Amino acid sequence: MTKTIEKATTYHNYIDGKWVKSETGRTFASYNPANTEEVVGYFPLSSEKDLKAAVDAAHRAFPAWKKTPAPERAEIILKAAHILESRKEELARNMVREMGKVIKEARGDVQEAIDMAKYAAGEGRRLLGMTVPSELRNKFAMAIRVPIGIIGVITPWNFPVAIPSWKMLPALVAGNTIVFKPASDTPLVATQFVEILNEAGLPPGVVNLVTGSGSEVGMPLVEDPRVGCISVTGSSFTGRKIAGRCGELMKRITCELGGKNAICVMEDADIDLAVDGALWGSFGTAGQRCTATSRIIVHKKVYEEFSKKFVERAKALKIGDGLDPKIDVGPVVSKSQLESVHEYVEIGKNEGAKLLFGGNILTEGDLAKGCFHEPTIFGDVKASMRIAQEEIFGPVTAIIPVADFDEAIEVANGTEYGLSLSMYTKDVNRAFQAIEELESGIVYINAPTIGAEIQLPFGGVKQTGNGHREAGTTAIDQFTEWKSVYVDYSGSLQRAQIDNYEGNQ
Ligand code: NAD
């Protein structure tokens, strides 16, 4: 049944352990992209004043949370994992209603948060420091990790539970407090994620949620001097803006930004396997993953065979509301995203790329109520075309023919991004050469560009990021400072080598 505007629930910010209205009294609606007549909920359109109240709470909560033993903090994170497991289906269904990915993928999104919660909880009994030998007798040298303080978490809508979990759970186990500003397209699942963390037993003020715009809430969060680190995932445009401001403020910032990922298919590849990978990589989450395969670089000897098989498979994809388990591709997140994706289809046509399949906004029957775009494949694409260079973030992919392995590597590396690149080949020598030469934070061999596991570092090079990595053991690096400690138990003043001039003069 279609929910009417009147029936949708109004949600609140979460500050200092309480659900509170925004001081502005203003709200914004979150819509179902499969049926934009359905309002999923209303959320506070908050102000800088709300944000300050959240930072105040996080600031007050920090000293006690920092002193809580890490294994004790981890117990709360582990409990959150169990609550996430018990509410997985509810969260997944709300995620489909809120941003459109198909139900199986939405379950995967929540699963990623469960995995991350268990992994981060394990860190509570590690948080490894280091000890090294001192150059002096009776002196002990070690480095320990300390939390940074308040982490400002700014997230996009495409992984509305997974991405906040990658940031917040390691940050919490490391002893930080958090102010979380989620994307305005997915405030419902963000709200539920925060609800779960608090139900798991976080003390008031440790995690605070403020919904609203990037300019009214996001930027004040970036600029508040009490916030020690900003962890942002979003477009490269947004990342540059926030990183610029953080640079001026000398504030730590970790950025996970855009991508223009590619699969390379060599002439010796298993073509059916490559078609499977390209289909999943290009059209999973309707192409709205930072790791989406938006370029397929194919050796000319297998170009015809690959393109034909790929188009056949794309034709069979079922498009519709992701709550229906038979659907393969859901809507894109919003009307404006739909327009932006479709604009790229026009750009591709005008650039002279060959439209092999798709290209249309879908308006038949119930699809007219949503933001549906046909899976779209361009062939004969040149590496310099805009559709082969710019992030489209929708179900549009470009097949680029190349003459050999070296050209494939050159084309794969030839964009401003560097998140995820993949090589399909049966030749182990080429596979290792690709691992060495592909310029990206993630490399896949005989697998598509999507599908990262949380126990390895995640992130990219060039315009995709600023050198930090989420997930894996590196997640903790983002959210801790190193403190080097020297303990001299000799009972006399000993000088380290730099101050010991004997023998140097
Ligand atoms: P976006 O850049 O529009 O917004 C991301 C977040 O930043 C939102 O919460 C937004 O409100 C906030 N924001 C925007 N302007 C701001 C400002 N001036 N100050 C502070 N906050 C501000 O991105 P989006 O459309 O939500 O997400 C899609 C983008 O995210 C794509 O480019 C995609 O590649 C990228 N992404 C990257 C990764 C990765 O790990 N590399 C993962 C997922 C998505």
Side-chain angles (χ1 to χ4, degrees):
M1 193 184 77
T2 301
K3 225 174 185 180
T4 61
I5 286 179
E6 290 73 41
K7 283 181 190 161
T9 307
T10 298
Y11 296 85
H12 301 309
N13 287 329
Y14 191 76
I15 298 175
D16 209 10
K18 293 182 203 73
W19 294 102
V20 291
K21 287 184 181 167
S22 160
E23 62 92 22
T24 65
R26 292 178 297 160
T27 58
F28 65 95
S30 172
Y31 295 95
N32 180 348
N35 173 5
T36 53
E37 288 169 12
E38 181 189 340
V39 173
V40 174
Y42 291 100
F43 298 85
L45 191 57
S46 310
S47 67
E48 185 165 352
K49 205 167 159 197
D50 297 312
L51 186 272
K52 291 280 174 219
V55 178
D56 287 346
H59 189 64
R60 279 195 301 272
F62 177 61
W65 183 242
K66 177 187 170 183
K67 283 209 158 56
T68 305
E72 209 177 295
R73 296 194 294 253
E75 288 299 329
I76 298 175
I77 305 299
L78 189 60
K79 191 153 178 228
H82 297 144
I83 304 173
L84 280 164
E85 274 168 336
S86 69
R87 292 182 63 182
K88 182 174 175 179
E89 192 61 19
E90 174 202 350
L91 277 169
R93 293 185 79 79
N94 279 338
M95 192 184 302
V96 178
R97 286 174 60 221
E98 200 166 37
M99 59 69 69
K101 67 172 71 174
V102 299
I103 184 71
K104 232 191 233 171
E105 291 181 34
R107 289 181 190 126
D109 193 311
V110 183
Q111 185 59 45
E112 216 161 291
I114 295 167
D115 295 344
M116 182 50 91
K118 290 179 179 172
Y119 187 80
E123 269 309 313
R125 289 191 184 269
R126 277 188 297 270
L127 287 179
L128 297 178
M130 55 178 112
T131 62
V132 293
S134 164
E135 60 197 37
L136 297 170
R137 286 174 180 74
N138 301 324
K139 190 175 173 194
F140 191 81
M142 65 181 166
I144 55 171
R145 290 179 184 275
V146 293
I148 293 173
I150 303 174
I151 311 293
V153 170
I154 300 177
T155 56
W157 46 265
N158 66 332
F159 278 90
V161 174
I163 290 179
S165 81
W166 293 357
K167 297 177 186 299
M168 287 159 67
L169 302 176
L172 286 171
V173 86
N176 301 282
T177 58
I178 286 169
V179 176
F180 173 28
K181 194 222 87 67
S184 296
D185 284 313
T186 48
L188 174 58
V189 278
T191 299
Q192 292 186 311
F193 182 59
V194 167
E195 190 181 283
I196 286 168
L197 291 180
N198 285 287
E199 193 185 322
L202 287 180
V206 171
V207 167
N208 306 276
L209 167 80
V210 185
T211 58
S213 72
S215 54
E216 283 184 275
V217 177
M219 204 33 103
L221 176 60
V222 170
E223 290 179 338
D224 192 306
R226 293 167 299 173
V227 175
C229 167
I230 295 292
S231 181
V232 59
T233 297
S235 61
S236 296
F237 174 79
T238 299
R240 269 193 294 271
K241 217 161 156 181
I242 297 177
R245 195 67 190 109
C246 286
E248 285 166 356
L249 298 167
M250 290 292 281
K251 184 171 294 200
R252 185 187 293 211
I253 166 146
T254 70
C255 291
E256 297 294 341
L257 310 173
K260 189 70 186 172
N261 316 290
I263 280 179
C264 304
V265 184
M266 291 299 93
E267 76 279 24
D268 65 338
D270 176 335
I271 299 299
D272 292 327
L273 183 69
V275 168
D276 272 344
L279 198 77
W280 173 226
S282 304
F283 304 126
T285 322
Q288 301 167 112
R289 293 197 189 193
C290 51
T291 50
T293 306
S294 54
R295 297 179 297 152
I296 307 166
I297 299 163
V298 185
H299 195 289
K300 62 183 181 198
K301 283 191 186 153
V302 291
Y303 179 82
E304 288 305 325
E305 181 191 356
F306 175 88
S307 303
K308 193 162 165 274
K309 285 183 168 171
F310 184 45
V311 168
E312 281 314 309
R313 291 286 301 282
K315 277 182 186 165
L317 293 171
K318 292 191 189 65
I319 296 111
D321 186 336
L323 281 176
D324 176 347
K326 293 191 290 295
I327 292 299
D328 300 303
V329 182
V332 298
V333 72
S334 62
K335 287 269 186 230
S336 64
Q337 187 71 10
L338 183 66
E339 280 159 23
S340 153
V341 168
H342 194 64
E343 221 174 282
Y344 273 105
V345 173
E346 296 306 321
I347 290 169
K349 285 190 207 161
N350 292 336
E351 285 179 309
K354 191 165 157 191
L355 185 62
L356 299 180
F357 177 65
N360 300 304
I361 291 177
L362 295 169
T363 52
E364 268 175 42
D366 279 351
L367 297 183
K369 288 185 186 165
C371 310
F372 293 96
H373 199 284
E374 260 183 316
T376 297
I377 302 169
F378 280 106
D380 291 342
V381 175
K382 292 197 174 56
S384 58
M385 289 179 178
R386 283 183 63 191
I387 57 165
Q389 288 291 325
E390 296 172 21
E391 185 179 51
I392 300 175
F393 225 57
V396 178
T397 195
I399 311 181
I400 307 170
V402 289
D404 54 25
F405 176 81
D406 288 343
E407 191 185 349
I409 297 282
E410 192 185 320
V411 170
N413 289 341
T415 74
E416 63 176 2
Y417 298 107
L419 183 53
S420 183
L421 296 171
S422 147
M423 174 62 68
Y424 279 78
T425 178
K426 285 182 190 151
D427 179 340
V428 71
N429 295 352
R430 273 182 170 180
F432 273 87
Q433 217 177 322
I435 293 169
E436 199 173 304
E437 291 180 18
L438 289 171
E439 292 166 2
S440 55
I442 305 167
V443 170
Y444 287 93
I445 301 296
N446 294 327
T449 54
I450 65 175
E453 299 179 35
I454 61 98
Q455 61 275 24
L456 274 186
F458 183 95
V461 300
K462 304 197 273 189
Q463 293 295 309
T464 295
N466 61 344
H468 292 273
R469 291 291 181 274
E470 296 195 326
T473 49
T474 44
I476 296 294
D477 293 335
Q478 293 184 78
F479 303 120
T480 51
E481 293 283 7
W482 281 110
K483 186 179 278 184
S484 296
V485 182
Y486 300 93
V487 182
D488 190 320
Y489 54 98
S490 68
S492 57
L493 172 65
Q494 299 197 88
R495 293 182 184 184
Q497 204 154 283
I498 56 159
D499 296 315
N500 182 356
Y501 299 108
E502 263 180 56
N504 291 339
Q505 290 173 336

